[in-house]
């Protein structure tokens, strides 16, 4: 098997020294982590490695020597480096060397003992793979390679080659804590040796986050305790809560805030990412809500809105009245059953009349209601959107009523027709066996049944017309509400933090790696450059999408059409199973 | 070390196969199809614009002309960036893995690397496409749960080698059903697409 040496690019310009890293015997690969410079005391190097090994639970060792020939050939150094192999015994002993030409690398792996296989003792075939230590350390492989439970001790041996490399680099983070300005006994060269990367702002935020989270978490627990109070669980109130989408949105917001300010530390990177995504989406939501609030409160827009609302409701009612008048005549040249038509039309007209008087009763208070409701936009745009959706539902309540009446009437007729049609054919529905059985009817029963069937058939078009018109109106309202819910769901479930990370730091979310073959000269080892392959946007979305509140349509198109045809009630998409019937 | 041969694909188009030997343990196969031709580009553009002019003379609305310009530009950009693949490269590194790169005409590259530990075998697959039987190379991936099973069939040289056709979503087991012929003892009667000689790879 070819011996693979993973070498960090940041060490390519380091001075000569010792190579420190991990040897993975299963894949016969050596992961070089750092270069130890002269002068050092071997005992101290071993102590340092033992410390890191204890902290990160990863088996580190001195893998070999690194020789960087600057100008003059240093013959004595070469002999010295070879001699070091006797002090730090390792199998195989790597000897990496870089010539002054900067492109010429040579690599030698010496095995002291003969390997068990048929291969001759001595030198193996070697492949040099360069990797960017910083990116490999910070990136996160997708899908996560087997469960890396840190309690389990040593790195799992079964994971793939590259996962082992990533894991090794991630676990030996304590090795990278020392920079070259430190006073430690051993001088190392690695990606942070020019100075440890950190930000004052981040440190301050970390320092402040603890008490702030504690305070807010206690406040939130108080609020959730109050909302769980028994008074709100009584019958009429609980019914109202379950119908209003605003309440659901508020509950959701409370859950999100609890998640953000929970004092527990995120256990896995996925949880951390979820927290960050939730935080960003809440921040965006609140920002948009505040913008909306400031827009509403400037130039007395709320007053204008309230003034416009009543005429709009009036206008809708007027249009409906016109529609009903048209239906009561001869709509589209159809000749309806006059008596039934008149009855239905008057019934609906009276309903509209009731509705208009109700709206006019409300008129003086609408501005105040709007002003107070507008304040809720500071909780976020999604809350404002759900309030808008609820308002639409309330304002079009008469359309909903018409639809329900029409649907019930139509459903009744369809049911009657279907059972009479069976009677017509001399059959009946057997409830116990759940099937259609044949049955012998009396002459009277047949006569009455046929008479009723004929009447229902002739009355059906009138009812069907009313049903059709009001179903169309209802579908329009449901579509508008569905779009509003879709928008709110989009804001709630978009993983903005992950998308931003993918856009600005593509290496943080890695789908894998890719290799590039570097220029090669005959007789020298093959050199490859390992780069991070970023996760595609679609997979970022799929992996990190926040759980949405189930806005996906319950019905397929076919079942929707079936329900419409048989006059069963359809509800907005949002409704849950318990409100189905 | 490098050599180049030319083949024709299943539709009769020309393909160029480049083989590069970097070292005994690393080699690269690169299959490239001809770049977008000036003639077809001109033909498509002229068709769209003539149709737009025809509509314009009928409706007398200049929106149609600007829409035609935008459609041509966006369509060309989208075609170059998402559809047209110029080159597909297969880089095989011993005991490390197989890397597939497809480079689009706009310069975008999408890369997939499969570790050698996950590769179960490389086979030539037979499939029925339109009214003929085509052969293509594919990699069988090991199922992490069941060591004997195959979790996925990854076709190689999918865009340049054999013109689209087959279902790309072969993630379910059994989605691609035809017999899987082992590569090594198979007689070389694959005229349309002989990718290199036998790809000799030692499994780790």
């Amino acid at each position: 098997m070819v011996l693979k040496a993973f070498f960090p690019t940041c060490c390519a310009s380091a001075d000569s020294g010792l190579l420190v890293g991990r040897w993975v015997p299963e894949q016969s690969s050596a992961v070089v982590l750092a270069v130890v410079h002269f002068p050092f005391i071997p005992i101290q190097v071993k102590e340092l490695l033992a410390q890191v090994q204890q902290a990160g639970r990863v088996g580190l060792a001195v893998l070999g020597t690194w020789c960087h020939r600057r100008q003059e050939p240093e013959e004595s150094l070469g002999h010295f480096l070879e001699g070091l192999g006797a002090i730090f015994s390792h199998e195989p002993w790597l000897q990496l060397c870089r010539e002054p030409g900067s492109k010429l690398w040579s690599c030698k792996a010496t095995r002291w003992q003969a390997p068990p296989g048929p291969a001759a003792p001595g030198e193996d075939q070697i492949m040099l793979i360069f990797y960017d230590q910083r990116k490999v350390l910070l990136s996160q492989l997708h899908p996560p390679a087997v469960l890396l439970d840190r309690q389990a001790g040593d790195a799992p041996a079964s994971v793939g080659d590259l996962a082992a490399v990533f894991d090794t680099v991630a676990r030996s983070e304590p090795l990278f804590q020392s920079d070259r300005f430190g006073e430690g006994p051993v001088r190392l060269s690695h990606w942070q040796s020019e100075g440890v990367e950190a930000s004052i702002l981040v440190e301050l935020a970390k320092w402040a986050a603890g008490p702030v989270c504690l305070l807010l978490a206690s406040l939130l627990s108080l609020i959730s305790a109050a909302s769980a109070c028994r008074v709100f669980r009584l019958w009429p109130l609980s019914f109202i809560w379950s119908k209003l989408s605003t309440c659901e949105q508020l509950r959701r917001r409370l859950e999100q805030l609890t998640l953000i300010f929970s004092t527990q530390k995120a256990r896995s990177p996925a949880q951390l990412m979820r927290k960050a995504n939730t935080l960003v989406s809440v921040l965006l939501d609140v920002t948009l809500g505040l913008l909306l609030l400031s827009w509403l409160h400037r130039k007395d827009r709320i007053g204008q809105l309230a003034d416009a609302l009543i005429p709009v409701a009036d206008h809708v009612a007027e249009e409906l009245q016109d529609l009903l008048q048209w239906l009561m005549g001869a709509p589209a040249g159809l000749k309806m059953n006059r008596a039934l038509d008149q009855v239905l039309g008057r019934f609906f007209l009276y309903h509209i009349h009731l509705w208009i008087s109700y709206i006019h009763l409300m008129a003086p208070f609408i501005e105040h209601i709007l002003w107070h409701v507008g304040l809720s936009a500071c909780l976020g745009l999604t809350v404002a959107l759900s309030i808008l959706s609820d308002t639409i539902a309330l304002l079009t309540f008469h359309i909903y009523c018409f639809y329900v009446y029409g649907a019930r009437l139509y459903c009744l007729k369809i049911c009657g027709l279907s059972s009479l049609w069976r009677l017509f054919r001399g059959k009946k529905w057997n409830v116990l066996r759940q099937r259609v059985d044949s049955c012998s009817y009396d002459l009277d029963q047949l006569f009455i049944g046929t008479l009723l069937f004929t009447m229902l058939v002739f009355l059906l078009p009138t009812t069907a017309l009313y049903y059709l018109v009001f179903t169309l109106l209802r579908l329009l309202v449901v579509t508008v509400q569905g779009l509003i819910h879709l928008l709110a769901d989009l804001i709630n479930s978009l993983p903005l933090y992950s998308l931003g990370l993918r856009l600005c730091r593509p290496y943080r979310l890695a789908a894998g790696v890719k290799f590039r073959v570097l220029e090669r000269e005959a007789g020298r080892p093959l050199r490859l450059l390992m780069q991070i392959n970023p996760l595609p946007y679609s997979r970022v979305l799929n992996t990190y999408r926040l759980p949405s509140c189930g806005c996906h349509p319950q019905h397929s198109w076919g079942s929707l059409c079936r329900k419409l045809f048989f006059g069963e009630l359809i509800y907005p998409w949002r409704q849950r199973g318990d409100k189905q019937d | 070390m490098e050599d180049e041969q030319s083949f024709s694909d299943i539709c009769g188009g020309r393909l160029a196969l480049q083989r590069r030997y970097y070292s005994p343990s690393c080699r690269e196969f690169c299959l490239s199809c001809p770049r977008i031709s000036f003639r077809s580009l001109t033909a498509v553009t002229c068709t769209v614009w003539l149709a737009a002019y025809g509509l314009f003379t009928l409706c007398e609305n200049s929106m149609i002309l600007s829409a035609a310009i935008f459609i041509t530009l966006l369509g060309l950009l989208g075609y170059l960036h998402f559809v047209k693949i110029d080159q597909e490269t297969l880089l095989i590194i011993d005991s490390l893995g197989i890397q597939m790169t497809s480079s689009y005409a706009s310069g975008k590259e999408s890369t997939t690397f499969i570790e050698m530990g996950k590769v179960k075998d490389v086979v030539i697959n037979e499939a029925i496409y339109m009214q003929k039987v085509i052969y293509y190379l594919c990699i069988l991936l090991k199922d992490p749960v069941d060591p004997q099973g195959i979790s996925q069939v990854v076709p190689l040289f999918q865009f340049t080698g054999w013109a689209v056709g087959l279902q790309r979503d072969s993630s379910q087991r059994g989605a691609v059903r035809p017999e899987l012929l082992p590569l090594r003892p198979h007689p070389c009667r694959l005229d349309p697409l002989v990718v290199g000689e036998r790809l000799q790879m030692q499994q780790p």
Side-chain angles (χ1 to χ4, degrees), chain B residues 27-90:
Chain B
R27 51 183 81 171
E28 192 177 52
F29 300 93
C30 176
L31 203 58
S32 46
C33 63
R35 300 187 157 265
I36 184 167
S37 74
F38 184 70
R39 197 184 300 164
S40 60
L41 191 67
T42 320
V44 170
T45 317
C46 285
T47 321
V48 172
W49 284 19
L50 282 178
Y53 268 112
L55 275 178
F56 174 67
T57 46
L58 281 177
C59 317
E60 308 249 322
N61 189 349
S62 64
M63 279 291 286
I64 292 172
L65 291 183
S66 29
I69 293 175
F70 272 108
I71 286 173
T72 324
L73 284 179
L74 289 181
L76 186 64
L77 282 181
Y79 179 72
L80 289 182
H81 199 69
F82 296 111
V83 181
K84 172 74 178 157
I85 289 182
D86 266 355
Q87 205 178 44
E88 276 183 301
T89 313
L90 186 72

Side-chain angles (χ1 to χ4, degrees), chain A residues 25-51:
Chain A
E26 300 93 39
Q27 283 114 10
S28 84
S29 56
V31 186
V32 176
L33 294 168
V35 174
V36 178
H37 296 301
F38 300 111
F40 57 79
I41 303 167
I43 292 292
Q44 284 177 341
V45 174
K46 283 178 180 168
E47 270 176 12
L48 177 79
L49 291 183
Q51 277 173 18

Side-chain angles (χ1 to χ4, degrees), chain A residues 333-383:
Chain A
L334 294 174
K335 195 167 182 194
M336 300 282 121
N337 184 307
R338 187 145 192 85
L340 183 65
D341 207 18
Q342 292 291 330
V343 168
L344 283 177
R346 288 222 196 95
F347 176 68
F348 288 132
L349 278 181
Y350 177 66
H351 223 93
I352 291 177
H353 174 70
L354 271 185
W355 180 250
I356 290 181
S357 37
Y358 167 63
I359 289 275
H360 280 270
L361 210 67
M362 291 279 291
F365 312 107
I366 280 192
E367 187 172 346
H368 298 284
I369 294 176
L370 270 184
W371 194 86
H372 285 104
V373 163
L375 280 185
S376 71
C378 66
L379 277 175
L381 185 66
T382 48
V383 177

Side-chain angles (χ1 to χ4, degrees), chain A residues 172-233:
Chain A
S172 43
E173 211 179 331
L175 192 68
F176 308 134
Q177 291 305 328
S178 62
D179 55 19
R180 65 190 182 125
F181 309 109
E183 294 292 320
V186 181
R187 279 198 313 128
L188 288 170
S189 180
H190 48 77
W191 71 278
Q192 280 200 123
S193 57
E194 294 296 314
V196 176
E197 250 186 29
S199 151
I200 291 180
L201 286 179
V202 170
E203 293 304 315
L204 277 178
K206 270 185 195 167
W207 184 71
V212 168
C213 278
L214 203 64
L215 183 69
L216 286 172
S218 57
L219 266 180
L220 285 172
S221 68
L222 215 73
I223 293 174
S224 54
S227 69
C229 182
R230 266 181 90 173
V231 179
F232 296 107
R233 296 279 172 86

